[in-house]
Amino acid sequence: MKYLKILTIAVFGLLLFGACKKDTPIDKNVTASDLAGHYVAVEAKMGNYVVVRLVNFYAEGGVIKADWYKVNDKRSATVTISENTFSFDLFDTGADVYVFNFSKNASGGVMLNSLKSEGPNNIDILHAEMYNSKDIPNWGGKTFELLTEPYGNIYSKYIKFSENKTKVAFARGLSNMPEETCIVISNNAGFKTGRDANAINTLGIFVPSWKGDSNVKLLETLTSNNYGYATCKLYN
């Protein structure tokens, strides 16, 4: 089992574990309903490569659901909390299980204490941050600019979205107009491209910040794990 360094955005603000000022978890029970309206960006090591995944919590049909996304795959589960812990068995086989542990701060805001992986396909989870959906950056009609990428010349310098979020452009310059299909996921927390499953597709996760850097507004990863992931800032 491998634990991660954790950063959490709770209901009432940014809580940075390891920072000088941080909310102390208090002994309050977390319910599944507390998780609705939150999402988690996960950084994980897959073999020799580091990728990002998205987990979204939401209410549907009187229950709380969790969706897990990678580029060409989505897994869903009904959230059941036991002792402030939710175990998400991605494939219902016990091979890939995400185990989330939560708490609350003094204001009642839910916090992510830890995330670990269990099972024979144990993933090395390096980092995760939980955000309130109210803090998703506005991205309709916006352009994002590449900040970091692992290997160079794989990710486009700019990502441009149409105002209605149905089209996207991946470009080296600013003249390209959004023409490729863009699919909104996780209540606006992310997007994916709609190319053929055999093509290189993109998963994007919008964040208010990442690892303490408020310039980072978008995490981008591609179909193949060996492309790693990129970070982007808002250009305009």
Side-chain angles (χ1 to χ4, degrees):
M1 299 181 186
K2 299 182 180 178
Y3 290 81
L4 71 166
K5 296 180 290 183
I6 202 83
L7 289 173
T8 305
I9 291 186
V11 175
F12 297 105
L14 181 64
L15 306 174
L16 298 181
F17 280 69
C20 294
K21 292 183 178 180
K22 63 181 180 180
D23 282 4
T24 301
I26 59 176
D27 188 17
K28 283 188 177 180
N29 289 332
V30 174
T31 67
S33 297
D34 291 323
L35 301 179
H38 293 79
Y39 65 103
V40 180
V42 181
E43 178 187 71
K45 189 173 183 181
M46 310 287 292
N48 294 323
Y49 306 104
V50 178
V51 298
V52 287
R53 301 290 185 251
L54 171 63
V55 180
N56 183 49
F57 298 98
Y58 61 99
E60 181 181 84
V63 298
I64 305 302
K65 296 285 191 68
D67 288 343
W68 172 91
Y69 290 90
K70 69 175 185 178
V71 180
N72 283 335
D73 198 5
K74 172 188 173 183
R75 300 288 165 171
S76 301
T78 299
V79 177
T80 302
I81 299 289
S82 176
E83 297 182 348
N84 291 353
T85 298
F86 165 55
S87 295
F88 194 165
D89 189 342
L90 298 181
F91 303 99
D92 296 321
T93 62
D96 291 284
V97 184
Y98 278 32
V99 182
F100 299 81
N101 182 261
F102 303 98
S103 64
K104 289 185 176 181
N105 60 23
S107 301
V110 65
M111 302 168 60
L112 178 59
N113 283 340
S114 65
L115 173 58
K116 65 181 179 180
S117 63
E118 293 183 343
N121 294 339
N122 195 11
I123 299 168
D124 189 0
I125 298 176
L126 304 178
H127 185 79
E129 303 191 31
M130 185 168 74
Y131 307 94
N132 192 310
S133 296
K134 295 185 296 183
D135 297 320
I136 298 170
N138 179 26
W139 56 280
K142 301 296 184 181
T143 298
F144 294 80
E145 183 179 5
L146 188 68
L147 275 174
T148 65
E149 63 172 326
Y151 310 115
N153 297 320
I154 293 177
Y155 289 86
S156 299
K157 183 173 177 59
Y158 298 102
I159 305 177
K160 301 174 69 174
F161 296 95
S162 63
E163 191 70 38
N164 63 5
K165 305 176 183 177
T166 62
K167 300 292 183 181
V168 60
F170 302 91
R172 296 294 176 183
L174 292 169
S175 60
N176 300 64
M177 298 303 295
E179 296 180 346
E180 184 175 347
T181 299
C182 177
I183 301 169
V184 179
I185 60 174
S186 296
N187 298 318
N188 283 313
F191 80 94
K192 63 179 182 178
T193 52
R195 302 169 192 149
D196 183 272
N198 294 320
I200 296 296
N201 272 293
T202 299
L203 170 71
I205 308 169
F206 297 98
V207 296
S209 63
W210 180 245
K211 298 184 179 181
D213 186 351
S214 60
N215 287 319
V216 178
K217 299 299 181 186
L218 172 62
L219 310 176
E220 181 191 5
T221 193
L222 302 179
T223 303
S224 178
N225 289 338
N226 61 6
Y227 293 137
Y229 77 95
T231 66
C232 303
K233 67 179 181 179
L234 181 65
Y235 178 80
N236 66 14

